[in-house]
């Protein structure tokens, strides 16, 4: 036995599972729970922080908004949505879409602790919204300028909250991590399994 979780076949009449995200990471993580063929339905919402919004509240709000947006397009389905936010103090670090942003994020995270908030929301056809939040503390080593530039050149940072992907070479920057590794990747598996089971999905 490899210790993995076996997939559980859906019974007739089981609700369809919709993953409200186009993230390959979330699909890969969901497969670890045996859920290998969800319908993918990416949502297009405004992810700008509200005035004064802190990282924790931002992640929770966006996960719920994504779930509600997907439910409009997939009535009758169980919707799973998530959002991951990197916070340095009360500051929300952006998703890096260019090298300058990624470089600034890594410089801010260098040699210090930060928190990763990974929120999930599960919305069932009867309108019940279940929510959970994973909070993980990550500490990076002090990064040399050459290390930052080498990471930028590798391109793993693109589209990632805080300008890094823990599942890639940035894990080599991590001195320690307290919390959920899968949460830092984008989908906290303990919380996800708990909420999907509560929503009636059959998961071993």
């Amino acid at each position: 036995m490899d210790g993995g979780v076996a997939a559980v076949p859906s019974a007739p009449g089981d609700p369809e599972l919709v993953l409200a995200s186009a993230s390959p990471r979330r699909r890969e993580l969901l497969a670890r729970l045996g859920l290998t063929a969800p319908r993918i339905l990416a949502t297009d919402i405004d992810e700008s922080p509200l005035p004064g919004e802190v990282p924790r509240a931002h992640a929770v709000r966006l996960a719920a908004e994504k779930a509600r947006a997907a439910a409009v397009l997939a009535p009758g389905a169980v919707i799973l949505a998530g959002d991951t936010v990197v916070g340095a103090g009360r500051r929300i670090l952006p998703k890096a879409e260019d090298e300058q942003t990624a470089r600034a994020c890594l410089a801010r995270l260098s040699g210090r602790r930060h928190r990763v908030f990974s929120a999930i929301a599960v919305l069932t056809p009867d309108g019940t919204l279940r929510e959970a939040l994973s909070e993980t503390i990550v500490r990076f080593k002090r990064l040399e300028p050459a290390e930052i530039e080498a990471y930028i050149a590798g391109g793993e940072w693109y589209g990632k909250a805080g300008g890094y992907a823990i599942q890639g070479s940035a894990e080599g920057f991590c001195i320690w991590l307290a919390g959920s590794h899968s949460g830092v990747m984008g989908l906290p598996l303990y919380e996800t399994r708990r909420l999907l089971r509560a929503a009636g999905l059959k998961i071993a």
Side-chain angles (χ1 to χ4, degrees), residues 39-129:
R39 178 180 170 192
I40 305 300
L41 186 58
T43 57
D44 183 18
I45 66 168
D46 183 359
E47 299 190 18
S48 304
L50 300 176
E53 192 170 42
V54 296
R56 175 194 299 268
H58 185 61
V60 171
R61 178 176 64 82
L62 290 188
E65 288 187 5
K66 290 175 182 178
R68 293 189 181 101
V72 173
L73 302 174
V78 173
I79 310 295
L80 169 63
D83 193 78
T84 300
V85 173
V86 174
R90 293 176 60 86
R91 178 188 293 267
I92 297 170
L93 297 191
K95 291 181 180 177
E97 302 292 343
D98 55 66
E99 292 187 0
Q100 182 179 354
T101 301
R103 192 175 287 112
C105 287
L106 292 171
R108 178 170 291 275
L109 299 177
S110 173
R112 64 178 292 178
R113 296 189 304 173
H114 61 277
R115 295 178 187 267
V116 180
F117 300 92
S118 194
I120 60 167
V122 173
L123 185 61
T124 49
D126 65 1
T128 300
L129 180 69

Side-chain angles (χ1 to χ4, degrees), residues 1-8 30-36 189 193 203-204:
M1 298 221 6
D2 61 7
V5 178
V8 178
L30 198 56
R32 297 183 188 180
L33 298 179
L35 300 169
T36 57
L189 290 182
R193 180 179 184 273
I203 304 175

Side-chain angles (χ1 to χ4, degrees), residues 6-45:
V8 178
S10 297
D14 278 356
E16 178 186 27
L17 175 62
V18 168
L19 176 60
S21 172
S23 166
R25 298 186 310 283
R26 291 196 175 105
R27 277 177 281 174
E28 292 165 6
L29 288 165
L30 198 56
R32 297 183 188 180
L33 298 179
L35 300 169
T36 57
R39 178 180 170 192
I40 305 300
L41 186 58
T43 57
D44 183 18
I45 66 168

